[in-house]
Amino acid sequence: MIGDLSTRPRGLAPGLAVALAGTAVAIWSSRLVPALNPMLVAIVLGAVLGNSIRLPPGVGAGLAFSARTLLRVGIALLGLQLLFGDIAALGWQVIALVVVIVGLGIAGTVILGGALGLGWTQRLLIACGFSICGAAAVAAVDSVTEADEEEVLTAVTLVVIFGTAMILAVPLLSSALHLSDTAAGMWAGGSIHEVAQVVAAGGAIGGTALGVATVVKLARVLLLAPVVTAISIHQRRLAGAGGHATRPPMVPAFVVAFIACVCVRSSGILPEGILDAASLAQTVLLTCAMFALGVGVRVATMRRVGARPVVLAAASTVWVAGIALAGVLLIGPVPAG
């Protein structure tokens, strides 16, 4: 798990100030260069800062708070981007494909990780991060497991590296395979790790692809709730069988809040002004959390964990992308929406 939290405002203030400063730089950079996503910039900034200078111990609590509590609030607000109607409009075939991508993506990655000799939590973090929604999924799964901080930071680092590579690979391969913009958008949304990375790849392909990619990706994000709940139930059973005192909640509060936000957005009762403000708040919170996670990424850690997590990440990327592409080719042309 990522750090212990101090609930005292004074104890949190130094770390929060650092995280907010990094967030401001990341958002300013994205405004200056629209192609840059603030969350991806924040992870890189945090990693550069964490590996270039020794931060004072006093910032630890605030950074941990950002990486956990602010992230959970941001994930919950992410639900306000989702409309059940948009997901349903994809059609049952695309929805089924999304479920298959997530299910087989997690299962295949976990099995291969076992063959590579990696521990259960490391395999699960990489599997969920690469199959659902990147760093947010990694952190969500971390909240209901007993993962080591090193495992979490390794998974986040790999999401950034391989997801960023997919931003370039998917548009190039889509062109080489002569996929339509709609098919390419489906592939991007079904295979790339982070929402921000999907938006970048979809935009590179074209306007039609961007819309399709975003909705397909958000359909994958929606599966975060049942997956985290299932893992939490599994962990509770393990804790009960082993006599451990600590048991994760049956359904984490932020998962309940995420589903509630989806329901509220789908109801149509929120005016555009509130949705715009919520979107800005979600961006700030997730960017702040990504910066804090980035600070924890250490080059020395990546050297220490060895090649096996990197091999698993590469294989998982190919595996998930292969499932998504096979599904897109099998389904054939779909309405552009």
Side-chain angles (χ1 to χ4, degrees), residues 30 33-40 78 81 163-164 166-168 170-171 184-218 220-221 279 282-283:
S30 69
V33 183
L36 296 175
N37 183 275
M39 283 173 266
L40 297 180
L78 185 61
Q81 289 190 17
T164 301
M166 289 287 281
I167 295 174
L168 300 175
V170 169
M186 287 176 58
W187 188 28
S191 62
I192 300 177
H193 313 328
E194 291 274 2
V195 175
Q197 293 162 347
V198 169
V199 171
I205 297 169
T208 299
L210 175 58
V212 174
T214 302
V215 177
V216 171
K217 180 59 180 179
L218 291 178
R220 286 170 68 195
V221 173
S279 177
Q282 172 231 306
T283 298

Side-chain angles (χ1 to χ4, degrees), residues 242-283:
H244 300 305
T246 303
R247 302 175 71 188
M250 184 74 72
V251 183
F254 74 92
V255 172
V256 175
F258 172 81
I259 295 298
C261 285
V262 178
C263 294
V264 171
R265 173 66 193 276
S266 299
S267 70
I269 62 175
L270 293 180
E272 285 298 319
I274 291 180
L275 290 175
D276 290 342
S279 177
L280 176 61
Q282 172 231 306
T283 298

Side-chain angles (χ1 to χ4, degrees), residues 40 44 71 85 121 162 234 304 318:
L40 297 180
V44 174
L71 179 67
T121 49
F162 285 92
H234 177 68
R304 186 167 59 251
V318 174

Side-chain angles (χ1 to χ4, degrees), residues 284-305:
V284 171
L285 289 168
L286 290 181
T287 301
C288 197
M290 293 303 110
F291 177 84
L293 286 170
V295 170
V297 172
R298 293 288 186 272
V299 173
T301 298
M302 294 305 299
R303 291 173 181 164
R304 186 167 59 251
V305 299

